[in-house]
Amino acid sequence: MNAPRTVELRESPAAERNKQPIAAVLARVLPVTGLVLEVASGTGQHAEHFARTLPSLTWQPTEMDADLLAELRVRVQRAALPNLLLPLKFDVHDARRPIASVAAIFCANLLHIAPWTACAALLAHAELGLAHGAPLVLYGPFKQGGEHSAPSNAAFDADLRRRDSAWGLRDLDDVLELARGHGLELEELVAMPANNLTVVLQRQ
């Protein structure tokens, strides 16, 4: 069934800027084939671009926000890519995983706009849903050793915490310590444009 053409989809300028640098990393670190679960797909710009760029992988977007989920469905229908599946409603805090087992998990720009419990929940899903050697790939801004990598990140962190005291940039050391408790170890850390990082964790 064709998607309605009258719906105006939200576009994230940041997602447009970073989608190709992220795709270049994913091309190296993701399996050649298999199903990739994207947690918190948002506007779906990443999902569509990655499905086009990495056609041997099947991309499963998810979203918890009802309005974004509806727009995401329209984007996927308009893209009409055979390896881009219709989105699933999923909150990372849900006890039940949307898919029992996947080849990889990708999550961008979630951890700093969600409570710390979201990080723990995401890692728990990865522990149960990834096979040995499979990657969980995180993208976004992080502190390292308690320090911000740039004044702009410090200002962003302060703004997030003013908006919601449970939000804020996470310290990568804390994320990695929690990850180890869920059977995930750091495989690669990639510096990205605009003071972001791609964190590649591997299921042990």
Side-chain angles (χ1 to χ4, degrees), residues 3-81:
R5 298 294 171 181
T6 56
V7 176
E8 185 174 344
L9 302 179
R10 275 175 271 195
E11 298 284 341
S12 164
E16 281 301 302
R17 289 192 300 270
N18 64 39
K19 66 184 184 182
Q20 184 51 39
I22 297 172
V25 176
L26 295 181
R28 289 194 298 102
V29 304
L30 291 183
V32 175
T33 61
L35 180 64
V36 181
L37 175 68
E38 181 180 12
V39 176
S41 299
T43 63
Q45 289 160 263
H46 280 165
E48 181 178 356
H49 183 72
F50 300 156
R52 291 187 189 280
T53 306
L54 306 168
S56 64
L57 288 166
T58 300
W59 207 266
Q60 176 62 73
T62 68
E63 179 55 50
M64 64 171 285
D65 181 271
D67 291 337
L68 278 173
L69 185 67
E71 290 185 29
L72 185 54
R73 173 177 284 269
V74 173
R75 183 182 294 277
V76 169
Q77 290 175 323
R78 287 181 181 176
L81 298 170

Side-chain angles (χ1 to χ4, degrees), residues 90-121:
F90 176 60
D91 182 335
V92 74
H93 291 100
D94 292 345
R96 185 173 182 177
R97 300 188 306 284
I99 302 172
S101 180
V102 294
I105 298 174
F106 173 75
C107 182
N109 291 321
L110 170 67
L111 301 186
H112 57 279
I113 56 169
W116 178 241
T117 53
C119 182

